[in-house]
Amino acid sequence: MAFPFRELILLLGAVSITFGFEVTLSITYNDSMAGLQGSTAFMNCAWSYSGLEYPVTATFSSPSGQAIYTYSVGNPFINRVTQEEGWIDNRMAASPVNASVSNIILTLTNLQCADEGNYKCEVSNGLDGRIQPPVIKEEFVQLKVPPSNPEVTFISEDPTSGIVENSTIQVRCTAATGSKDKGRLQWRIYRTDEPIDIAANDPRVTVSKSDVNCVETYVSTLSMTVTRADQELVITCFVQNDDFAPNLPPACEDTLLCDQTERLRIHYPVSDSTIIVTHEPQDVYQGGSVTLSCRADGFPEANIVWSKGNETLQGEDDGFGGSKLILSNLTVDGDSGVYNCTATNTVLQVVYSASKEVNIVVSSTPPPSTEAPTTKPPTTGTPGSDNDRSTGGGGSDDTVIIVVVVVVVVVLIVIAVVAVVIYRRRNAPKSVEDPPSKPVNNLSNNIAFVNGSQPDLVAYDKHQTGSLNNSFDMKNEDGLMYADLTYDNRPRSRKPLALGDNASDYSDIQMPQV
């Protein structure tokens, strides 16, 4: 029996081709987020095989399984792209320009939610009209759809008319959270402006969602019972999305993906247990004054009225949501008694009232002095004079005044002493310094003046004393030779001239006039 050589060759070729055949399918996008709605997707189907090159057929299929394009590589590798019947979407294109003997690229523009899903590339090769087992690769096109802004609404209570204490409110948050399994809603409440995040599994939260094409829409409802501790409460709903908003911002004002309620006004009536009445001081005396204060916890804010017996008294706002009543010039009989504070407010057209009393006892005994005793000496004087004054109640002030006066007097005395010292120093006579010694005006045998000069004389001395027409006069009336030495009165020449001993039997020295 002859061996079928031709069939063997075909069999070996098929085996080599089957085992050496590889196919890849990759998807890329033209936007940085990789799949943003409206972007373009590029689907590249590539193949490789070992051995002889044989004709190849590549077929693309949509997520619904419908064939889109068929690409054939013939012998000798003439490319042919055929659009399958029934596929009329002009956003998808494939052409020989984007094809070769080893790959073809399919372009899908303006991505929409309907384009999301698994795309397949089926590649097969044929030999002599026979089709070998195809190789199928598929990739998922996932669209990234941005979420929408949420909307928060009340279901049960109308916040404009007020929410009654201990009632249950329901708040609903609705938003398209974006691509499937990418988004969610997050509740946060602000109690006294402190943020509190509510967990997704909190029993007060119920969630429902729907999926239209590739976009999920969430509806979350928060149910909670409010009390007066929730006054000014703010309820906030955030949208989170893994692609666009993965982290919660600090506050609703920091993002567009948030909505919140107005501050809640929790209405509750006044009650006897929450009304507080006080008075200051605790001990009141005749002639003094006292302030009564009344505060009542309620919303809307309570109206407070003061009364004593059947008499209504006029109070005033204390600036803290309460009322105060000031009584002055107290008398024992007129002001002692029971004072009443009545607070009223209206909740849901129902008037609530609460009251509390305070008993004021005015004492006729003057208040004890709280001042330290002073050691002021007794004053003398006639009754009714300025010295006959009461020092009660002013000891501390008098002490301060006395200290100030003493300090001022001491300062004035010091200033006067300093002024006198300075004045005397300025007008004191200046000390006279002796001039340097003059040379001796002596001759060996006669009284003469050195170098013919004579001492300086004052004009007064010359006229009063005849003998002082010169500094020295030679006198011969008594037959003796002597010298008469006179000083200048002015502080200039205070030293006498030295006289020669052999020139005179004696000398007469007159001291200067002082």
Side-chain angles (χ1 to χ4, degrees), residues 382-438:
T382 58
S385 66
D386 293 340
N387 293 330
D388 186 17
R389 296 178 181 175
S390 173
T391 60
S396 178
D397 294 339
D398 293 341
T399 302
V400 173
I401 293 174
I402 292 173
V403 171
V404 172
V405 171
V406 170
V407 171
V408 172
V409 170
V410 171
V411 171
L412 292 177
I413 293 174
V414 171
I415 292 174
V417 171
V418 172
V420 171
V421 171
I422 293 174
Y423 176 79
R424 288 186 175 182
R425 286 187 177 181
R426 288 184 177 179
N427 292 275
K430 297 182 180 179
S431 60
V432 180
E433 296 182 358
D434 293 336
S437 300
K438 294 184 177 181

Side-chain angles (χ1 to χ4, degrees), residues 121-134:
C121 179
E122 182 178 334
V123 180
S124 62
N125 67 319
L127 178 63
D128 196 18
R130 300 180 183 183
I131 303 298
Q132 301 300 322

Side-chain angles (χ1 to χ4, degrees), residues 249-262:
C252 192
E253 294 79 7
D254 299 328
T255 178
L256 295 176
L257 299 177
C258 176
D259 193 18
Q260 63 185 6
T261 65
E262 298 293 335

Side-chain angles (χ1 to χ4, degrees), residues 132-147:
Q132 301 300 322
V135 178
I136 301 175
K137 294 295 182 179
E138 62 181 41
E139 287 292 333
F140 188 81
V141 173
Q142 183 175 9
L143 198 64
K144 295 181 179 178
V145 181

Side-chain angles (χ1 to χ4, degrees), residues 56-305:
V56 173
T57 300
T59 303
F60 278 101
S61 299
S62 68
S64 63
Q66 180 185 5
I68 305 173
Y69 281 93
T70 299
Y71 173 63
S72 299
V73 181
N75 193 5
F77 307 109
I78 300 175
N79 303 337
R80 182 174 67 253
V81 179
T82 304
Q83 181 175 351
E84 299 295 331
E85 294 181 1
W87 186 265
I88 59 175
D89 195 339
N90 58 7
R91 294 182 298 108
M92 183 170 289
S95 66
V97 176
N98 296 323
S100 68
V101 296
S102 60
N103 77 301
I104 182 172
I105 299 176
L106 188 69
T107 303
L108 180 58
T109 60
N110 192 20
L111 287 175
Q112 302 297 323
C113 283
D115 301 327
E116 192 174 62
N118 282 317
Y119 287 80
K120 298 179 182 180
C121 179
E122 182 178 334
V123 180
S124 62
N125 67 319
L127 178 63
D128 196 18
R130 300 180 183 183
I131 303 298
Q132 301 300 322
V135 178
I136 301 175
K137 294 295 182 179
E138 62 181 41
E139 287 292 333
F140 188 81
V141 173
Q142 183 175 9
L143 198 64
K144 295 181 179 178
V145 181
S148 65
N149 299 341
E151 181 181 4
V152 173
T153 57
F154 280 89
I155 300 176
S156 54
E157 298 287 340
D158 182 6
T160 58
S161 60
I163 301 173
V164 181
E165 184 182 29
N166 298 322
S167 62
T168 300
I169 62 172
Q170 291 183 316
V171 186
R172 175 180 295 163
C173 180
T174 305
T177 57
S179 303
K180 185 178 180 180
D181 299 329
K182 291 289 186 177
R184 55 202 168 275
L185 299 180
Q186 173 66 55
W187 288 103
R188 177 185 291 173
I189 62 175
Y190 290 85
R191 181 179 287 121
T192 62
D193 292 333
E194 290 295 328
I196 302 174
D197 290 330
I198 299 178
N201 59 352
D202 193 292
R204 297 173 295 176
V205 178
T206 58
V207 179
S208 64
K209 64 179 179 179
S210 59
D211 184 5
V212 179
N213 293 327
C214 63
V215 180
E216 282 186 333
T217 299
Y218 274 79
V219 177
S220 181
T221 302
L222 173 64
S223 301
M224 59 184 301
T225 301
V226 294
T227 65
R228 65 188 64 187
D230 295 317
Q231 192 69 270
E232 302 289 322
L233 185 75
V234 176
I235 302 176
T236 305
C237 178
F238 292 90
V239 176
Q240 283 186 277
N241 185 282
D242 295 339
D243 296 325
F244 297 91
N247 301 318
L248 281 177
C252 192
E253 294 79 7
D254 299 328
T255 178
L256 295 176
L257 299 177
C258 176
D259 193 18
Q260 63 185 6
T261 65
E262 298 293 335
R263 293 185 179 271
L264 302 187
R265 300 293 186 265
I266 312 300
H267 290 205
Y268 55 95
V270 296
S271 61
D272 293 340
S273 61
T274 60
I275 189 170
I276 300 175
V277 179
T278 59
H279 65 90
E280 183 66 31
Q282 295 297 313
D283 298 325
V284 293
Y285 301 91
Q286 181 166 307
S289 62
V290 65
T291 299
L292 310 183
S293 299
C294 179
R295 295 184 186 178
D297 187 17
F299 192 86
E301 189 174 287
N303 180 40
I304 297 177
V305 176

